Amino acid sequence: IDAAIAMAGKYNNRFKIVTLDGQVMNPGGSMTGGSVNKEAGILSRANELEKLTAREKELQDNKLVLEAELSEGLDKIRKAEDYQGLIKKDLKRLDAEHQAYEIRRKELNVTLANTKSVSVICVSAMAICMLTLLFFQFGLQMDSGIGYILTGLLTAGVLTFVFVRFRDASQELRRVNQAIQKLISLQNRVKIRYVNNTNLLEYLYTKYLADSGDELEKKLQLFYEEREERQQYERMPEDLSYYQKEL
């Protein structure tokens, strides 16, 4: 068309000039479009409309996929947060049990130390009593038979009591130590689950651009509200036409 305009100007618009695409330069400078160009324009607009329709459908499909992903993501985050709460409760309970066992282990260690001290004192007292009885018997020529019997019985009774208490405390201490080892092992496993679940939550928060399930739920609710408002706006011409007919 630029070449046709230039040529028409060269000959002072005295001749009719037709371009390859069907446009006509009439004498005097007027222009008319050829049938080829009109058909080409119609086909071009039809192709553009088809592309826009396909693009609209693609966007609609993507919106539905996004909505489904957000709903699924919210469900995953809620489950992970609930599981995180359960893990924290388990860790708190295990920590309380561990502390209780540690307190009991300290008490048993004190009991064992006390029974050892009592046994030493008992043996020392028996030795002193025996030396005293020997002094009475051989130094003062006194009959110490009953003294030996009473000292032996008293010492045997005290030592038996100390031995039973020491044995029971030792057995309980062994059970407490075993329980503490099991608790530590269980705590470590629960801590591993806690770390793994924490990493999962951080991944989900990053993926869905939220700091918590509540925040994502608010975003999803806002999305639903905006969609409803948009649908109402799209229905307004139909509603308006309907009410105009009714009137």
Side-chain angles (χ1 to χ4, degrees):
I1 187 64
D2 292 336
I5 292 173
M7 186 176 294
K10 182 178 180 181
Y11 295 100
N12 296 321
N13 297 318
R14 290 180 294 173
F15 304 101
K16 180 185 290 187
I17 301 173
V18 181
T19 64
L20 294 176
D21 59 2
Q23 298 188 37
V24 180
M25 294 288 296
N26 296 310
S30 63
M31 297 177 57
T32 58
S35 60
V36 175
N37 184 56
K38 291 180 180 178
E39 293 177 357
I42 293 173
L43 291 175
S44 176
R45 287 192 294 272
N47 291 333
E48 185 67 21
L49 180 60
E50 183 179 354
K51 291 180 181 179
L52 290 175
T53 302
R55 179 57 177 167
E56 182 182 8
K57 185 178 184 303
E58 181 183 354
L59 292 175
Q60 185 68 22
D61 293 340
N62 291 338
K63 184 175 69 173
L64 294 176
V65 171
L66 178 61
E67 182 180 348
E69 286 184 355
L70 286 175
S71 298
E72 182 181 0
L74 178 60
D75 183 62
K76 290 180 179 179
I77 289 177
R78 287 299 190 195
K79 289 181 179 178
E81 288 178 339
D82 291 342
Y83 186 56
Q84 192 85 334
L86 293 176
I87 295 176
K88 288 181 178 180
K89 288 182 180 179
D90 288 340
L91 285 175
K92 186 176 181 180
R93 177 179 56 81
L94 290 173
D95 185 63
E97 291 182 8
H98 191 180
Q99 292 180 2
Y101 276 117
E102 288 292 347
I103 293 173
R104 183 54 182 165
R105 179 161 65 177
K106 291 180 181 180
E107 292 176 349
L108 291 172
N109 286 326
V110 171
T111 299
L112 291 174
N114 290 338
T115 53
K116 290 178 181 179
S117 300
V118 170
S119 63
V120 170
I121 293 173
C122 182
V123 171
S124 300
M126 182 189 67
I128 294 173
C129 290
M130 294 299 293
L131 289 175
T132 302
L133 290 173
L134 288 173
F135 173 74
F136 287 157
Q137 180 179 0
F138 296 104
L140 300 178
Q141 300 297 320
M142 297 177 60
D143 185 9
S144 303
I146 297 177
Y148 288 123
I149 295 173
L150 293 176
T151 301
L153 291 174
L154 182 61
T155 302
V158 173
L159 289 178
T160 300
F161 171 78
V162 171
F163 171 77
V164 171
R165 188 170 179 78
F166 183 85
R167 182 197 61 189
D168 293 342
S170 299
Q171 292 176 351
E172 185 178 357
L173 181 61
R174 185 165 56 252
R175 291 193 298 269
V176 168
N177 288 330
Q178 292 174 352
I180 289 176
Q181 292 301 320
K182 290 180 180 179
L183 275 175
I184 292 175
S185 177
L186 184 58
Q187 281 179 311
N188 291 334
R189 291 198 297 270
V190 174
K191 287 178 181 178
I192 291 174
R193 292 203 300 269
Y194 180 81
V195 172
N196 292 337
N197 196 68
T198 300
N199 293 335
L200 174 61
L201 276 173
E202 290 179 354
Y203 165 75
L204 292 174
Y205 290 154
T206 303
K207 180 179 179 180
Y208 296 103
L209 302 177
D211 295 329
S212 66
D214 291 337
E215 181 178 350
L216 181 58
E217 186 175 7
K218 290 179 181 178
K219 291 182 178 180
L220 192 59
Q221 185 64 32
L222 181 61
F223 172 79
Y224 290 146
E225 292 176 356
E226 291 178 349
R227 183 185 63 180
E228 181 64 25
E229 290 178 358
R230 186 166 54 254
Q231 290 175 349
Q232 290 179 358
Y233 179 78
E234 292 174 352
R235 290 194 301 266
M236 283 180 63
E238 298 178 2
D239 295 340
L240 181 60
S241 176
Y242 171 78
Y243 288 122
Q244 285 177 345
K245 290 180 181 179
E246 290 293 323
L247 293 173

XYZ file of all heavy atoms in Angstrom, residues 78-122:
367
model
N -3.569 -28.671 57.810
C -4.348 -28.929 59.015
C -3.928 -30.251 59.661
O -3.750 -30.336 60.880
C -5.840 -28.970 58.676
C -6.457 -27.609 58.365
C -6.356 -26.679 59.534
N -7.148 -25.476 59.340
C -7.012 -24.389 60.076
N -6.100 -24.352 61.052
N -7.769 -23.323 59.859
N -3.780 -31.293 58.842
C -3.377 -32.590 59.375
C -1.981 -32.518 59.991
O -1.735 -33.076 61.068
C -3.425 -33.642 58.270
C -4.833 -34.018 57.828
C -4.801 -35.085 56.746
C -6.217 -35.472 56.325
N -6.195 -36.491 55.238
N -1.057 -31.843 59.303
C 0.309 -31.725 59.814
C 0.337 -30.919 61.109
O 1.083 -31.253 62.045
C 1.215 -31.081 58.765
N -0.467 -29.854 61.196
C -0.510 -29.050 62.419
C -1.120 -29.843 63.578
O -0.646 -29.738 64.722
C -1.293 -27.767 62.160
C -0.561 -26.762 61.290
C -1.376 -25.518 60.999
O -2.626 -25.584 61.125
O -0.797 -24.485 60.635
N -2.168 -30.609 63.289
C -2.764 -31.447 64.342
C -1.761 -32.487 64.827
O -1.640 -32.738 66.041
C -4.019 -32.140 63.809
C -5.162 -31.156 63.554
O -5.099 -30.038 64.104
O -6.086 -31.503 62.800
N -1.045 -33.089 63.888
C -0.044 -34.095 64.254
C 1.087 -33.453 65.061
O 1.607 -34.056 66.006
C 0.508 -34.742 62.995
C 1.451 -35.898 63.244
C 1.053 -36.989 64.002
C 2.735 -35.900 62.717
C 1.907 -38.041 64.243
C 3.600 -36.953 62.941
C 3.183 -38.020 63.697
O 4.042 -39.058 63.932
N 1.442 -32.218 64.700
C 2.472 -31.495 65.443
C 2.042 -31.275 66.888
O 2.843 -31.396 67.824
C 2.752 -30.158 64.758
C 3.992 -29.442 65.271
C 5.238 -29.922 64.591
O 5.296 -31.046 64.114
N 6.248 -29.090 64.534
N 0.755 -30.959 67.069
C 0.244 -30.778 68.429
C 0.304 -32.057 69.235
O 0.655 -32.040 70.424
N -0.030 -33.185 68.606
C 0.047 -34.476 69.298
C 1.480 -34.816 69.675
O 1.741 -35.335 70.773
C -0.545 -35.575 68.409
C -2.059 -35.495 68.141
C -2.479 -36.586 67.168
C -2.848 -35.620 69.438
N 2.413 -34.532 68.773
C 3.825 -34.818 69.064
C 4.307 -33.982 70.241
O 5.031 -34.476 71.115
C 4.695 -34.551 67.813
C 4.333 -35.530 66.694
C 6.168 -34.674 68.151
C 5.076 -35.264 65.400
N 3.904 -32.708 70.282
C 4.306 -31.852 71.395
C 3.761 -32.389 72.720
O 4.460 -32.375 73.741
C 3.807 -30.426 71.156
C 4.558 -29.682 70.070
C 4.027 -28.269 69.917
C 4.794 -27.497 68.867
N 4.288 -26.108 68.691
N 2.511 -32.881 72.695
C 1.933 -33.454 73.915
C 2.718 -34.706 74.336
O 2.976 -34.905 75.532
C 0.466 -33.813 73.672
C -0.450 -32.606 73.561
C -1.902 -33.031 73.366
C -2.823 -31.831 73.254
N -4.234 -32.224 73.033
N 3.083 -35.543 73.365
C 3.863 -36.744 73.680
C 5.218 -36.376 74.268
O 5.675 -36.991 75.249
C 4.056 -37.591 72.421
C 2.770 -38.279 71.994
O 1.863 -38.409 72.837
O 2.672 -38.684 70.816
N 5.873 -35.381 73.677
C 7.180 -34.954 74.191
C 7.060 -34.399 75.607
O 7.909 -34.667 76.464
C 7.775 -33.889 73.267
C 8.343 -34.386 71.931
C 8.786 -33.216 71.065
C 9.518 -35.336 72.160
N 5.997 -33.644 75.862
C 5.789 -33.089 77.200
C 5.539 -34.198 78.217
O 6.081 -34.171 79.331
C 4.608 -32.117 77.168
C 4.392 -31.361 78.464
C 3.271 -30.343 78.327
C 3.062 -29.565 79.617
N 1.968 -28.569 79.491
N 4.727 -35.197 77.828
C 4.436 -36.307 78.730
C 5.698 -37.123 78.991
O 5.987 -37.499 80.140
C 3.356 -37.198 78.119
C 3.033 -38.444 78.946
C 1.938 -39.243 78.292
N 2.266 -39.603 76.919
C 3.051 -40.638 76.608
N 3.598 -41.388 77.552
N 3.288 -40.916 75.342
N 6.467 -37.415 77.948
C 7.698 -38.196 78.105
C 8.712 -37.438 78.959
O 9.422 -38.049 79.767
C 8.290 -38.510 76.732
C 7.501 -39.506 75.872
C 8.104 -39.602 74.482
C 7.475 -40.886 76.533
N 8.789 -36.131 78.775
C 9.713 -35.331 79.576
C 9.312 -35.356 81.048
O 10.177 -35.448 81.934
C 9.730 -33.893 79.050
C 10.754 -33.039 79.764
O 11.957 -33.334 79.659
O 10.359 -32.058 80.432
N 8.007 -35.300 81.328
C 7.539 -35.357 82.721
C 7.868 -36.714 83.342
O 8.318 -36.793 84.492
C 6.044 -35.099 82.776
N 7.649 -37.798 82.572
C 7.981 -39.134 83.075
C 9.486 -39.259 83.307
O 9.922 -39.854 84.311
C 7.513 -40.191 82.080
C 6.005 -40.319 81.978
C 5.587 -41.410 81.019
O 6.471 -42.154 80.550
O 4.370 -41.534 80.734
N 10.263 -38.709 82.387
C 11.721 -38.770 82.541
C 12.162 -38.050 83.817
O 12.998 -38.562 84.590
C 12.379 -38.136 81.312
C 13.855 -38.367 81.240
N 14.637 -37.883 80.229
C 14.706 -39.028 82.076
C 15.878 -38.232 80.437
N 15.956 -38.927 81.559
N 11.613 -36.868 84.049
C 11.964 -36.124 85.262
C 11.556 -36.892 86.522
O 12.305 -36.909 87.515
C 11.298 -34.751 85.227
C 11.847 -33.812 84.163
C 11.163 -32.458 84.168
O 10.289 -32.202 84.989
N 11.544 -31.583 83.245
N 10.384 -37.532 86.500
C 9.931 -38.303 87.664
C 10.877 -39.471 87.939
O 11.228 -39.747 89.107
C 8.518 -38.819 87.423
N 11.300 -40.158 86.885
C 12.246 -41.267 87.065
C 13.599 -40.770 87.566
O 14.260 -41.443 88.370
C 12.420 -42.028 85.757
C 11.365 -43.083 85.513
C 10.495 -43.002 84.436
C 11.247 -44.181 86.365
C 9.524 -43.973 84.213
C 10.288 -45.155 86.152
C 9.425 -45.046 85.077
O 8.464 -46.014 84.873
N 14.025 -39.591 87.078
C 15.306 -39.049 87.540
C 15.248 -38.722 89.029
O 16.209 -38.969 89.783
C 15.661 -37.793 86.743
C 16.081 -38.047 85.303
C 17.417 -38.765 85.206
O 18.134 -38.852 86.219
O 17.736 -39.263 84.106
N 14.104 -38.164 89.461
C 13.942 -37.869 90.890
C 13.974 -39.161 91.705
O 14.628 -39.231 92.767
C 12.625 -37.107 91.129
C 12.699 -35.719 90.497
C 12.324 -36.999 92.622
C 11.390 -34.941 90.538
N 13.269 -40.171 91.200
C 13.260 -41.451 91.912
C 14.645 -42.074 91.937
O 15.041 -42.677 92.960
C 12.269 -42.408 91.244
C 12.120 -43.754 91.959
C 11.775 -43.561 93.406
N 11.679 -44.821 94.128
C 11.680 -44.940 95.447
N 11.767 -43.844 96.214
N 11.598 -46.121 96.030
N 15.433 -41.939 90.860
C 16.782 -42.499 90.846
C 17.667 -41.818 91.892
O 18.458 -42.480 92.582
C 17.409 -42.351 89.457
C 18.819 -42.897 89.372
C 19.252 -43.169 87.951
N 19.353 -41.952 87.148
C 19.782 -41.965 85.875
N 20.127 -43.125 85.292
N 19.851 -40.851 85.193
N 17.506 -40.507 92.038
C 18.276 -39.803 93.065
C 17.884 -40.291 94.459
O 18.764 -40.490 95.330
C 18.039 -38.299 92.945
C 18.646 -37.678 91.692
C 18.361 -36.187 91.635
C 18.953 -35.567 90.375
N 18.678 -34.097 90.293
N 16.583 -40.491 94.667
C 16.132 -40.988 95.977
C 16.705 -42.374 96.260
O 17.129 -42.652 97.403
C 14.603 -41.044 96.003
C 13.937 -39.673 95.961
C 12.436 -39.785 95.883
O 11.935 -40.913 95.643
O 11.736 -38.754 96.059
N 16.726 -43.237 95.267
C 17.254 -44.588 95.471
C 18.757 -44.559 95.723
O 19.261 -45.348 96.554
C 16.937 -45.459 94.252
C 15.457 -45.799 94.065
C 15.237 -46.498 92.727
C 14.967 -46.694 95.209
N 19.464 -43.692 95.048
C 20.904 -43.578 95.303
C 21.174 -43.106 96.724
O 22.114 -43.578 97.392
C 21.544 -42.618 94.294
C 21.681 -43.229 92.907
O 21.906 -44.438 92.765
N 21.552 -42.414 91.867
N 20.329 -42.178 97.195
C 20.461 -41.723 98.589
C 20.156 -42.871 99.549
O 20.861 -43.058 100.574
C 19.519 -40.526 98.845
C 19.489 -40.187 100.347
C 19.965 -39.318 98.047
N 19.127 -43.669 99.235
C 18.772 -44.815 100.083
C 19.915 -45.816 100.144
O 20.255 -46.341 101.235
C 17.512 -45.508 99.543
O 16.432 -44.570 99.561
C 17.153 -46.705 100.406
N 20.528 -46.110 99.014
C 21.650 -47.052 98.993
C 22.826 -46.518 99.807
O 23.481 -47.276 100.563
C 22.086 -47.314 97.551
C 21.103 -48.106 96.681
C 21.601 -48.171 95.245
C 20.918 -49.514 97.239
N 23.091 -45.211 99.651
C 24.190 -44.627 100.424
C 23.886 -44.683 101.925
O 24.781 -44.987 102.751
C 24.427 -43.186 99.982
N 22.631 -44.424 102.304
C 22.266 -44.463 103.723
C 22.360 -45.882 104.289
O 22.810 -46.070 105.432
C 20.843 -43.928 103.901
C 20.766 -42.429 103.655
O 21.772 -41.713 103.744
N 19.573 -41.942 103.319
N 21.905 -46.882 103.517
C 21.981 -48.260 104.016
C 23.428 -48.704 104.196
O 23.746 -49.440 105.149
C 21.265 -49.209 103.046
O 21.769 -49.030 101.719
C 19.778 -48.972 103.057
N 24.287 -48.249 103.308
C 25.715 -48.572 103.483
C 26.261 -47.937 104.755
O 27.012 -48.580 105.518
C 26.519 -48.091 102.269
C 26.253 -48.873 101.003
C 27.064 -48.308 99.835
C 26.795 -49.081 98.547
N 27.552 -48.542 97.400
N 25.870 -46.707 104.999
C 26.333 -46.029 106.217
C 25.800 -46.721 107.460
O 26.530 -46.904 108.462
C 25.888 -44.562 106.200
O 26.426 -43.888 105.087
N 24.511 -47.122 107.390
C 23.914 -47.806 108.545
C 24.613 -49.133 108.807
O 24.856 -49.512 109.966
C 22.405 -48.026 108.309
C 21.822 -48.954 109.376
C 21.680 -46.691 108.324
N 24.934 -49.855 107.715
C 25.609 -51.140 107.900
C 26.986 -50.952 108.527
O 27.406 -51.741 109.394
C 25.732 -51.866 106.561
O 26.532 -51.123 105.643
N 27.701 -49.911 108.104
C 29.024 -49.630 108.683
C 28.889 -49.275 110.158
O 29.661 -49.755 111.023
C 29.715 -48.496 107.907
C 30.984 -48.042 108.653
C 30.065 -48.954 106.499
N 27.893 -48.437 110.462
C 27.679 -48.052 111.872
C 27.288 -49.267 112.702
O 27.755 -49.440 113.848
C 26.580 -46.967 111.951
C 27.072 -45.679 111.294
C 26.178 -46.722 113.401
C 26.004 -44.608 111.174
N 26.448 -50.119 112.131
C 26.002 -51.313 112.863
C 27.175 -52.243 113.154
O 27.323 -52.757 114.282
C 24.934 -52.035 112.039
S 24.261 -53.490 112.862
